[in-house]
Amino acid sequence: MPEVTKEVVLEKLRTVRGPGMEGNIVDLGLVSDVFISDGKAYFSITVPAERAKELEPMRAAAERVVRDIPGITAAMVALTADRKAAAGSAPVQRPQPQAPSHAGHSHAPRPAGGPPAKAGIPGVGAIIAVASGKGGVGKSTTSVNLALALQANGLKVGLLDADIYGPSMPRLLKISGRPQQIEGRLIRPMENYGLKVMSMGFLVDEEVAMIWRGPMIQSALLQMLREVAWGDLDVLVVDMPPGTGDAQLTMAQQVPLAGAVIVSTPQDLALIDARKGLAMFRKVEVPVLGIVENMSYFVAPDTGNRYDIFGHGGARKEAERIGVPFLGEVPLTMGIRETSDAGTPLVASDPAGEVARVYREIATKVWEQVSATQQDKSRAAPNIVFE
């Protein structure tokens, strides 16, 4: 079968129009660059922000016509609600409003005078974000071992790799292959070590560079959350990308996070960035479950001597200073590095070891914090406005 090109996709998209639009979405300049990888097409459609919900059927139609192209196995389409870009690009006529009909529709409850409540994930009890202010602090390794430790403590656990640009779960968990689509739009998550896992790394080859803007990231994240057959889970651990950008804001605004775990190393430079992550989650009213100090110390395997390579105790002091729980110290060991590279995380490969014990203790503290926050279900979504 010949390879599908961007031109073929764009030609199909010329059959798609929105209500009140004087032309198709391609000729109106609403379609972003089309990215095709391994039979999957990714693109966004720019629309006026105030019409985003109304034009959702147009997005679905665009996704449908692209999926029907021979050689295309899936399509990921986002609506880009950009006020400035969309205002002059599409001369659209707004239809006259009709009387609302509530029959057959299910909406999240809307608090009086506030934004709608965030929709949860069917079957998932709690969602935990594992985040860091910067890269290189061992956040993904912590996420994997935390998920396995929660499972070792008796919980049903899933793991979502939310780092679109640098997905690492396929390698960390030694999973290869592609997820299978089942009923409707749902896809079956990959599995290893008893964890259900989803990552962009399963959909796109490892060497492919993801050059996406914010709306595409947001759409991909929400699809990997809500269009995956997670089944019944006590907790879904989300490995966030580093920093405080689009992915973090999407998760905070649109997903009912039970809380966030912040990962840092002991030195001041890492803690400066960790404070930014802490401040962001607090600003968007997501509980901070605590701080993990990763690479906390090094014990020489030949002598048993301990070395504080990156300093020591910085994360504990920061947790005390801002009044959040300190979850634990994870040592810097050859075993963590070797098992991570091999796709055999320590909690699974050496469950009786000292490092696995540390992760299980951290998991216990995290779940205690989650159980406390879950008692308050009335927290409304933050109303984040971009001007």
Side-chain angles (χ1 to χ4, degrees):
M1 184 176 293
E3 183 178 354
V4 180
T5 64
K6 297 178 184 179
E7 290 70 26
V8 170
V9 172
L10 290 172
E11 192 58 36
K12 274 288 186 180
L13 289 173
R14 284 191 168 90
T15 64
V16 178
R17 295 171 177 256
M21 291 185 179
E22 298 176 356
N24 65 72
I25 60 175
V26 175
D27 293 339
L28 287 173
L30 306 184
V31 179
S32 71
D33 190 26
V34 177
F35 174 72
I36 302 173
S37 174
D38 195 33
K40 299 175 179 64
Y42 307 84
F43 59 93
S44 63
I45 305 171
T46 302
V47 300
E50 67 275 8
R51 296 194 64 190
K53 289 185 178 179
E54 173 195 343
L55 295 176
E56 168 59 23
M58 180 186 73
R59 185 208 65 80
E63 183 177 284
R64 189 165 53 251
V65 300
V66 172
R67 282 207 317 265
D68 288 342
I69 298 173
I72 293 291
T73 59
M76 188 174 288
V77 186
L79 284 184
T80 305
D82 185 280
R83 286 181 175 86
K84 294 179 181 178
S89 62
V92 297
Q93 300 293 324
R94 190 174 182 86
Q96 293 298 314
Q98 299 177 354
S101 173
H102 301 287
H105 294 278
S106 176
H107 299 282
R110 180 184 294 271
K118 291 175 279 190
I121 312 301
V124 177
I127 304 172
I128 300 172
V130 179
S132 65
K134 63 180 295 181
V137 300
K139 172 186 52 58
S140 294
T141 301
T142 301
S143 297
V144 167
N145 282 289
L146 173 61
L148 288 167
L150 287 164
Q151 179 180 258
N153 288 351
L155 300 174
K156 296 178 181 178
V157 185
L159 181 59
L160 170 65
D161 186 354
D163 193 345
I164 302 296
Y165 295 126
S168 52
M169 289 308 148
R171 183 175 292 267
L172 284 169
L173 287 166
K174 205 174 183 179
I175 301 175
S176 59
R178 306 292 187 197
Q180 299 298 310
Q181 187 166 1
I182 52 178
E183 56 195 49
R185 292 165 55 95
L186 289 179
I187 60 175
R188 194 189 312 277
M190 308 295 278
E191 291 193 40
N192 200 9
Y193 304 113
L195 295 178
K196 294 183 178 181
V197 188
M198 187 61 202
S199 170
M200 184 58 68
F202 300 140
L203 305 175
V204 177
D205 291 336
E206 192 175 50
E207 295 81 9
V208 172
M210 304 299 290
I211 308 172
W212 284 2
R213 296 187 185 275
M216 291 294 288
I217 295 172
Q218 296 164 18
S219 179
L221 271 179
L222 294 177
Q223 283 190 266
M224 288 197 297
L225 273 167
R226 296 185 173 137
E227 296 181 13
V228 171
W230 292 109
D232 291 328
L233 298 178
D234 295 307
V235 59
L236 177 65
V237 176
V238 181
D239 178 30
M240 303 293 288
T244 55
D246 292 311
Q248 290 84 348
L249 289 173
T250 296
M251 293 295 296
Q253 186 181 25
Q254 301 197 40
V255 179
L257 293 176
V261 173
I262 305 296
V263 181
S264 180
T265 49
Q267 72 268 40
D268 290 341
L269 201 58
L271 287 167
I272 289 171
D273 293 309
R275 290 183 191 114
K276 297 175 184 176
L278 285 160
M280 185 208 69
F281 282 114
R282 285 186 157 179
K283 189 170 184 178
V284 297
E285 301 177 11
V286 171
V288 175
L289 303 174
I291 302 177
V292 173
E293 183 171 277
N294 199 32
M295 309 182 202
S296 183
Y297 55 89
F298 173 70
V299 177
D302 52 347
T303 66
N305 292 335
R306 171 173 166 158
Y307 299 92
D308 296 334
I309 296 175
F310 300 114
H312 181 258
R316 182 189 294 273
K317 291 176 183 176
E318 183 65 18
E320 292 172 352
R321 186 184 73 83
I322 62 177
V324 301
F326 179 69
L327 299 172
E329 302 173 347
V330 179
L332 175 64
T333 72
M334 293 291 288
I336 293 177
R337 194 273 301 167
E338 291 170 349
T339 57
S340 296
D341 288 347
T344 56
L346 266 178
V347 174
S349 60
D350 185 19
E354 177 62 19
V355 175
R357 181 192 62 78
V358 171
Y359 279 120
R360 286 197 305 273
E361 289 180 355
I362 291 172
T364 298
K365 294 176 182 177
V366 167
W367 193 244
E368 288 172 353
Q369 294 296 316
V370 169
S371 299
T373 61
Q374 290 292 80
Q375 294 175 4
D376 180 13
K377 295 288 189 178
S378 61
R379 189 166 48 88
N383 189 18
I384 302 173
V385 179
F386 298 90
E387 297 294 345

